Amino acid sequence: MDNKNLLNAFVDKFGEGGDIRGYFAPGRVNLIGEYTDFNGGYVFPCGLTMGTYMVARKRADRKINMYSLNFEKDGVIQSSLDEFVKGLVKNWTMYPKGVMWAFEEKGYQLDCGYDILVYGNIPNGSGLSSSASLEVLTGIMLKDMNSKKDIKGMGSRNHIDGENGIEEMSLADIALIGQYAENKYVGVNCGIMDQFAVAMAKKDYAIFLDTNNLSYKYVPLNLGNYKIVIASSNKKRSLADSKYNERRSECEKALALLQTRKSIGCLCELTVADFNEIKDVIEDDVLLRRAKHVIYENERTKNAVTALKNNDIEEFGKLMNESHRSLRDDFEVTGIELDTLAEEAGKCEGVAGSRMTGAGFGGCTVSIVKDDCIDSFINQVGSVYQEKIGYCADFYVAGVGDGAHKIDLDAEVHYDK
Ligand code: GLA
């Protein structure tokens, strides 16, 4: 697949002519800092070279025609800007539609419909943010193509501090609109990590993001002779969304209890020491373990970034292993598939650390593996996984890439199928 193939596929489906433009948004892998983002904590994701591509052209009417090369059987899915009813759509188009809906909700009135072709090479439902990728992708397309450049919206944040023109919308604003779409249109109460990482990623860097105020630093991924290896469990993430929302509300309950002892706005305002001083206010063991995970994970994330800056890959990996154990035992979002991948990784030579990444309940692990041990790692983990789980895992050596951007549809840029 390359950019020209995409353009040809678009023309095949929707015909020639007009101003046809192309866009890309990556997937992301989170290195550490899991379930901290809706608790005002730190996360440390990076963008991938795998991602989602969009080719789009304006229409003269308000129709939206969407076609995905990944779901060819679905054909062209037709709708209109006037019929974005929440909760009705349950296929891939709910992500772009959700973002269009969110633009209008925020006051950025869309002036026309679009013909849209999409292609992605992020394995679906793998926890590498294929949905956030599609949301941010739609956001950058709308910002770029909407001709009513002077329209004013209320900005992407919920606290409204004056109106902003669509021109002034930053990538971070687009990430926030994507999150708003996911929360209010799709119905998953996710934090900001995925959309932010997808929008703001930088080649060969990870983003150390403080989700409390969205301040961030790019940290070079100097891994020496190590690489990031992603293992996809290929487990279907059924019920993941409802369990995700359940974890979020458990954290809110724990916070409410802790707030009776200390004036805090979110769980991650507590240090580990603060937490241990007042944790007896949480009598329920489940809520206690949820809060413990979040607060210790936040501390681990800060320490992991320091370790990486000091080129201490061993320490970084140790913190990843601790993160996995905490997600397994205290936050309970792993499952036998992810545990098998992470535990077997721990037995392999040349592995600094391994953990589940993203929301869990299936999806992927991320491991830091020495270059010359990658083949044996894949063989060993892959065969134990197949034997124990009954189907195979897929492995990817991660390329760390840039955030969402426009692409030149005439360029011969090749990417994986
Ligand atoms: C999903 C969500 C993120 C974050 C992670 C867990 O990827 O979309 O906001 O909460 O799970 O860290």
Side-chain angles (χ1 to χ4, degrees):
M1 188 59 82
D2 70 14
N3 291 0
K4 277 190 178 160
N5 296 148
L6 280 186
L7 178 58
N8 291 340
F10 179 92
V11 169
D12 274 356
K13 259 309 139 200
F14 298 115
E16 282 184 348
D19 180 8
I20 305 174
R21 302 189 195 172
Y23 307 87
F24 169 78
R28 67 95 189 90
V29 63
N30 188 24
L31 300 174
I32 193 160
E34 221 64 85
Y35 281 99
T36 45
D37 69 343
F38 55 70
N39 291 301
Y42 291 105
V43 293
F44 195 48
C46 60
L48 297 172
T49 47
M50 294 190 266
T52 320
Y53 298 80
M54 180 179 280
V55 181
R57 178 177 59 203
K58 282 183 189 175
R59 294 182 54 89
D61 54 22
R62 290 176 61 80
K63 291 206 177 94
I64 306 284
N65 291 332
M66 293 194 253
Y67 180 76
S68 166
L69 290 171
N70 301 87
F71 300 100
E72 288 180 336
K73 274 203 271 142
D74 290 353
V76 175
I77 299 183
Q78 296 181 316
S79 59
S80 138
L81 285 177
D82 303 311
E83 53 186 52
F84 284 162
V85 186
K86 281 195 274 180
L88 278 188
V89 193
K90 286 288 172 226
N91 57 43
W92 68 271
T93 64
M94 71 183 162
Y95 301 107
K97 280 180 189 158
V99 173
M100 292 177 192
W101 171 87
F103 264 65
E104 298 225 313
E105 281 282 302
K106 295 286 181 187
Y108 297 107
Q109 198 197 340
L110 303 178
D111 57 340
C112 63
Y114 295 93
D115 289 329
I116 291 172
L117 176 129
V118 166
Y119 166 73
N121 54 11
I122 309 170
N124 266 321
S126 59
L128 300 176
S129 288
S130 52
S131 45
S133 174
L134 190 48
E135 286 159 357
V136 171
L137 186 64
T138 308
I140 62 165
M141 181 282 281
L142 291 176
K143 178 187 168 181
D144 187 55
M145 292 200 98
N146 206 305
S147 50
K148 280 194 176 173
K149 294 292 185 206
D150 56 339
I151 55 165
K152 301 276 190 207
M154 58 179 72
S156 50
R157 290 167 195 253
N158 290 333
H159 52 88
I160 301 161
D161 45 8
E163 294 194 327
N164 287 316
I166 201 166
E167 284 277 45
E168 293 144 43
M169 217 185 239
S170 66
L171 281 166
D173 290 330
I174 289 173
L176 283 158
I177 288 206
Q179 182 198 16
Y180 185 77
E182 183 87 34
N183 292 169
K184 306 286 181 202
Y185 190 89
V186 178
V188 179
N189 287 327
C190 66
I192 187 61
M193 169 170 73
D194 301 350
Q195 290 80 5
F196 197 92
V198 165
M200 305 292 290
K202 185 166 158 175
K203 188 175 172 347
D204 299 332
Y205 287 77
I207 310 174
F208 183 37
L209 170 68
D210 181 346
T211 61
N212 204 20
N213 54 21
L214 296 193
S215 62
Y216 62 95
K217 286 203 175 80
Y218 289 115
V219 179
L221 275 174
N222 292 331
L223 297 176
N225 55 347
Y226 285 86
K227 289 231 158 53
I228 299 171
V229 182
I230 294 170
S232 173
S233 69
N234 289 325
K235 182 191 178 193
K236 292 277 159 282
R237 295 173 61 221
S238 59
L239 292 182
D241 293 351
S242 60
K243 287 194 186 146
Y244 183 92
N245 288 349
E246 183 186 287
R247 291 297 179 278
R248 182 157 187 167
S249 74
E250 288 164 346
C251 289
E252 281 160 9
K253 284 183 197 150
L255 173 65
L257 291 167
L258 292 164
Q259 280 169 329
T260 63
R261 297 285 279 276
K262 210 171 164 92
S263 159
I264 47 169
C266 56
L267 285 180
C268 292
E269 270 175 39
L270 291 178
T271 62
V272 165
D274 287 342
F275 173 67
N276 283 323
E277 224 166 82
I278 61 170
K279 68 179 181 196
D280 57 308
V281 74
I282 309 178
E283 283 172 14
D284 181 292
D285 172 59
V286 171
L287 295 187
L288 184 65
R289 284 187 288 118
R290 302 299 190 247
K292 179 183 165 212
H293 163 75
V294 170
I295 292 156
Y296 279 74
E297 178 79 355
N298 198 41
E299 201 100 327
R300 270 192 290 274
T301 307
K302 282 189 275 183
N303 294 340
V305 172
T306 308
L308 186 63
K309 285 182 181 161
N310 295 336
N311 294 320
D312 191 346
I313 308 292
E314 212 175 289
E315 176 65 13
F316 189 86
K318 220 178 94 210
L319 292 161
M320 288 176 76
N321 294 338
E322 279 173 25
S323 167
H324 185 87
R325 284 195 288 271
S326 174
L327 288 155
R328 181 189 66 195
D329 301 337
D330 288 334
F331 216 68
E332 296 180 286
V333 290
T334 57
I336 185 165
E337 297 82 3
L338 293 172
D339 290 341
T340 302
L341 291 173
E343 279 155 26
E344 199 53 39
K347 296 180 195 159
C348 294
E349 200 191 322
V351 176
S354 182
R355 57 182 288 280
M356 60 149 268
T357 183
F361 308 111
C364 292
T365 59
V366 55
S367 308
I368 307 291
V369 189
K370 261 194 191 141
D371 270 334
D372 54 7
C373 297
I374 293 178
D375 288 344
S376 59
F377 166 85
I378 294 176
N379 280 334
Q380 184 173 333
V381 177
S383 63
V384 170
Y385 186 81
Q386 163 95 51
E387 200 175 301
K388 194 157 169 187
I389 307 297
Y391 49 84
C392 63
D394 288 322
F395 294 86
Y396 310 87
V397 178
V400 177
D402 280 325
H405 57 270
K406 221 167 158 171
I407 55 171
D408 176 359
L409 288 172
D410 292 320
E412 286 198 23
V413 183
H414 291 271
Y415 28 88
D416 298 338
K417 213 176 161 67

